[in-house]
């Protein structure tokens, strides 16, 4: 079950990641913290809204995500912290995910929560395999973004991804339609130098 809540220290951690990264996947991030009282209140309000949007479909998404990330296990309880930045993140080491409060419609909420949960499941069950195949730690960041393209055929979610990964995402879909096996998709992308 995903619990939605706000925590200022997690909000600061999200902003800190943005500021430290400066750019990622072709996007330029802010250079200073922008946490206001208004944004904190909005995050707390949106946590209630996210719960309303996510919970009715939660089991459906778990079942679909496990079709893709079949070696992973859905945590019995996972906290999804809302943050006031334009950035969403998985934080496997801390055992949580965090999404931007800016997603306001049920479809966008479902897409972003499934996206970050997928990153969490990837890290849980496919990091070691991917490193064994030959991916570097840096390439894992790209790979986890590429693989969310599989949400369209399995979950019906149009996870567009970043432009920088367009070619790899097309290849991942082809490999998925051929094998329906994530390890074969991961190794196939690596063999094709994608």
């Amino acid at each position: 079950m995903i619990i939605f809540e706000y925590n200022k220290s997690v909000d600061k951690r999200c902003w800190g990641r943005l500021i430290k990264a400066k750019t990622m996947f072709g996007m330029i991030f802010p250079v200073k913290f922008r946490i206001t009282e208004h944004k904190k209140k909005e995050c707390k309000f949106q946590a209630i809204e996210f719960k309303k949007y996510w919970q009715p479909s939660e089991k459906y998404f778990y079942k679909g995500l496990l079709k893709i990330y079949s070696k992973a296990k859905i945590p019995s309880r996972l906290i999804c912290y809302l943050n006031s930045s334009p950035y969403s993140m998985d934080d496997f080491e801390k055992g949580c995910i965090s999404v931007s409060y800016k997603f306001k419609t049920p479809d966008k909420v479902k897409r972003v929560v499934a996206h970050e949960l997928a990153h969490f499941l990837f890290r849980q069950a496919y990091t070691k395999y991917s490193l064994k195949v030959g991916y570097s730690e840096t390439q894992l960041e790209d790979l986890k973004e590429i693989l969310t393209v599989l949400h369209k055929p399995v979950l019906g979610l149009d996870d567009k991804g970043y432009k920088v990964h367009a070619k790899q995402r097309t290849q991942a879909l082809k490999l998925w339609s051929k094998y329906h096996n994530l390890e074969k998709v991961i190794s196939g992308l690596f063999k094709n130098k994608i």
Side-chain angles (χ1 to χ4, degrees):
M1 169 186 267
I2 294 184
I3 310 298
F4 296 95
E5 56 186 62
Y6 176 75
N7 179 292
K8 187 175 179 181
S9 66
V10 176
D11 198 2
K12 284 182 176 181
R13 199 163 67 238
C14 291
W15 279 99
R17 278 191 180 185
L18 284 178
I19 293 164
K20 183 179 178 185
K22 296 180 185 172
T23 65
M24 188 184 320
F25 310 130
M27 297 178 65
I28 298 170
F29 295 136
V31 294
K32 63 181 182 177
F33 283 79
R34 295 184 187 152
I35 301 172
T36 65
E37 287 304 313
H38 174 74
K39 286 182 178 180
K40 287 192 277 188
K41 286 179 185 176
E42 184 69 16
C43 286
K44 290 174 185 176
F45 171 78
Q46 285 302 112
I48 296 165
E49 296 300 297
F50 273 47
K51 179 180 176 180
K52 285 185 211 172
Y53 298 155
W54 176 259
Q55 283 191 335
S57 305
E58 189 169 41
K59 288 180 183 175
Y60 166 80
F61 288 112
Y62 291 167
K63 185 177 177 183
L65 286 168
L66 289 176
K67 282 183 183 177
I68 301 167
Y69 304 91
S70 60
K71 294 189 175 186
K73 292 182 180 172
I74 301 289
S76 59
R77 183 177 186 273
L78 181 70
I79 298 178
C80 176
Y81 294 104
L82 275 77
N83 72 73
S84 63
S85 83
Y87 175 68
S88 297
M89 68 176 195
D90 64 289
D91 196 337
F92 186 72
E93 293 77 26
K94 301 270 187 189
C96 66
I97 59 176
S98 183
V99 298
S100 174
Y101 77 108
K102 294 183 178 197
F103 297 95
K104 306 281 182 164
T105 66
D107 288 343
K108 288 181 179 179
V109 167
K110 291 172 189 176
R111 181 178 47 81
V112 73
V113 173
H115 181 104
E116 295 306 325
L117 178 56
H119 291 342
F120 189 92
L121 298 176
F122 171 82
R123 290 188 197 279
Q124 177 197 92
Y126 293 91
T127 295
K128 285 181 184 175
Y129 175 78
S130 299
L131 291 169
K132 184 179 171 185
V133 166
Y135 288 93
S136 69
E137 291 284 344
T138 304
Q139 289 171 321
L140 289 180
E141 294 304 308
D142 289 304
L143 181 59
K144 72 179 179 61
E145 294 297 338
I146 292 163
L147 296 175
T148 62
V149 73
L150 304 179
H151 296 179
K152 178 71 171 175
V154 177
L155 297 168
L157 295 175
D158 195 13
D159 190 318
K160 293 183 181 10
Y162 298 98
K163 290 179 184 178
V164 70
H165 299 129
K167 181 179 175 186
Q168 297 96 329
R169 288 168 68 88
T170 299
Q171 184 65 28
L173 279 174
K174 288 178 185 174
L175 290 164
W176 179 261
S177 67
K178 183 175 181 180
Y179 298 114
H180 293 279
N181 179 289
L182 191 58
E183 287 183 348
K184 289 187 178 184
V185 173
I186 291 168
S187 61
L189 288 171
F190 189 80
K191 286 177 190 171
N192 291 318
K193 302 291 183 218
I194 294 181

